[in-house]
Amino acid sequence: MPDIAPRPEEDREPSRLHDDIEHLNGLPAAWLGLDPTSIAESVLETLRDMLALDFVGLRFNDTTHVFLRVGQDFGEAHSRETIVGAVDDWLEEAPSLEPALMSIGRDIVRVVQRPLGGISSMGLIVAGSRRPDFPRRTEQLKLDVAAAQASLACREVRELSDRRPPADPREERPTGETLVESEWRLNLTINTMPAMAWSTTPDGLIDFCNRHFLDYVGYTHEELSGQGFWPIFHPDDTAHLLASWQEIMASKRPREVEGRIRRADGEYRWFMMRQNPLLDDEGAVIKWYGVGSDIEDRKRAETALKETESALLASEQNLSLIINSLPVLVWSARPDGTADFVNERWIEYAGVPAEQILEWGFLELYHPDDVAGMLETWQQDIEKGESTVLKGRILGADGQYRWFLFAGRKLTDANGVVRWFGCNVDIEDLQRAENALKSSEAALRESERRLQHAINAIPGLVWSADADGTVTFLSQQYLNYIGLSEAEALGRDGWASAAHADDFAPLFDAWNGALASGRATECEARMRGADGEYRWFLFRASPFHDDAGHLTQWFGVNIDIDDRKRAEENFRQSQSDLAHVARMTTMGELAVSIAHEVNQPLMAIVTNAGACLRWLDDAQSNVAMAREAAERIIRDGHRAGDIVTSLRALARKSAPRMERMGLEQVIQDVLDLLRGELQRRGVTCKTEFSRPAPTILGDSTQLQQVVLNLIMNGIEAMARVDGGQRRLTIRTEAREGAARVCVLDTGPGLSPEHRDRMFEAFFSTKPEGIGMGLSICRSIIEAHGGRIWAANATPRGGVFSFTLPLAEGDGLDVRSR
């Protein structure tokens, strides 16, 4: 043993050192009858606790297995495999007996080894600690004493096991070739048998394994010899197998032990290991013989059976819990209809013991008015049916009856025993709701009847559609009018077959526009009736939104406006006739001025013709002067013709004709006609035309009448104004897609009480007027899509204005093209 100087702290407790040495020397007395494995486990546990080691291990020379004990803290930080691997690597380097450093994970451990026996070592003990001063002198002394005691104990066990086998009971012992053949057959039998066979020394060290054993575990005989067989067992079974093996060796009696053995491919399988002792004449164990049988399938079956039994027990418990937790009254009954089981909820609801409900006791809890009918149905079902469903009232613990739905089914088990199983579901709230629903349904039917009467009474064709425009309902009046069935008319466009071909496109444009915008719309179109005649209808559609604001339906009505359309057409015709009369009246009033206007170019033509003749006379022949006179004749002739053309246009009675025209030309034609009237009345007229000149789409005759009426009203308004102050201004402008015309005068202006009524029919401020001029003007302008109004001018006078939509493409600058 190395000479290590004692340290002061080591001598502070001499009594403790004395007690530890005495304890180690007394261990062999506790090892009597134990095998080397048990001795090794005992000495390792004693050293670990006595020296507070992080780990301590023991390995016999005839085995690769390392017995190991690890301190709690160190074991939590490092696995057993990591510690054993580090120890094996260190021992392969053939270390000396001096302490050394070993790295295990992140820890640095001081280790030392001690042989089992000083002369002929049986193995060695390896101890390790993270203390920097390990091992102290006293600790090395304790390790040496423990190693010596363990070595002596193991040698004695092995010497005791060196006994002779019992006498051979056979009368004739085989010799020679017979003995060889017998041994060969025995060896062949042992190595061929489909079981793992082995033998051990009396102290439990393996000394033989058959071929099946070696092939199964994938080890050599040398690796399994001695204590080398422990690694083949499952780590969870090692402690149990070790304790059982020690008990078997101590009792010297055969015994069966179950454990898992690792196959060569790494899979563990369950084995039944049976071992018998071979005793000498004095009853001492000479050898142990054992055999292992694969019981994996049996263990799996047992495990499956236990799991099934556990699952069945759990299932029964769960079923009982479920049945008693269900919010329904669960029951079972015999074939005769008597109850033999009710769940806890049944008992809680009724508030009586189960005995009062079982058998026929449940009938006492049913409402007296329901018992007869329920019992009749129940008996019929148990006699002839496979299931039952009925309703009735059951008395509760609170003294109140509640409605329940009874549902049950007949079941027959494998033994032919018939039972009924069912439950009663509380439907009190549902029954009340059902009663309320029946009342509501009756009220709803009455409401629907009234609604249907109201729809049929509506003077129109009522319909509805879903959000995407698919028609879902047409009133009977609608179907009767178009002569189609509901199947033919409903849908996306089935109803549209009744629309007039000329109105189909604008009707669908308006409908699709409403679907896209989600806004109400209306459109006029003609629809063909069942008699083949077309009538005008006003189509009106309104969207319906739910509480979330989503459009869900469309509701609409088609109103017959054919009579109104005819009246409007007649009115327009009457209005056109009246307008013609008004024009002719105005022309009559302007006859003197018109005659003067026409007479002027005619007189000029006569004068110029006479001059032309004189210049053609031989005495005064002047061709150049004659040519000028002829040109003036042509010019005045054209002027007279233009005046006559304007008169004819105003005088003619023809249907409106919408044409593209310049607005300024319309105004200029009227001014040319009224030039004489303006001069006769002493009115100065000025035009302020915008540039570029606006282009409109309209009927020139009607628009000339509007301009003529407005100019004449302005002229008449200035009748009492001094001659030099009678000024008339006509102004045009174009903006925001419309052309605007303003006629301003310098008269006294418009009184507030008259201004708002000036465009009413038959209203006039002139004693001799009939009050239709401005009314006709408004009708003409509105028919052209425009608007007309009157106001006071600044600083004096009145102004009449109207707007007309610009023609498509008006306002584009084409000068650069």
Side-chain angles (χ1 to χ4, degrees), residues 440-452:
S440 299
E441 288 177 347
L444 180 60
R445 285 193 294 271
E446 177 62 22
S447 177
E448 289 178 347
R449 185 183 65 82
R450 292 180 179 178
L451 178 61
Q452 189 63 40

Side-chain angles (χ1 to χ4, degrees), residues 106 135 217 236 241 272 275 305 327 437 539 620 660 810:
R106 296 183 178 180
V217 299
D236 295 342
L241 292 174
M272 174 67 75
Q275 43 274 320
L305 179 61
L437 179 60
F539 289 70
Q620 302 180 15
R660 188 183 185 96
D810 182 80

Side-chain angles (χ1 to χ4, degrees), residues 761-776:
F762 306 111
F763 176 80
S764 176
T765 58
K766 296 180 288 186
E768 70 282 3
I770 62 174
M772 290 302 297
L774 292 178
S775 176
I776 293 173

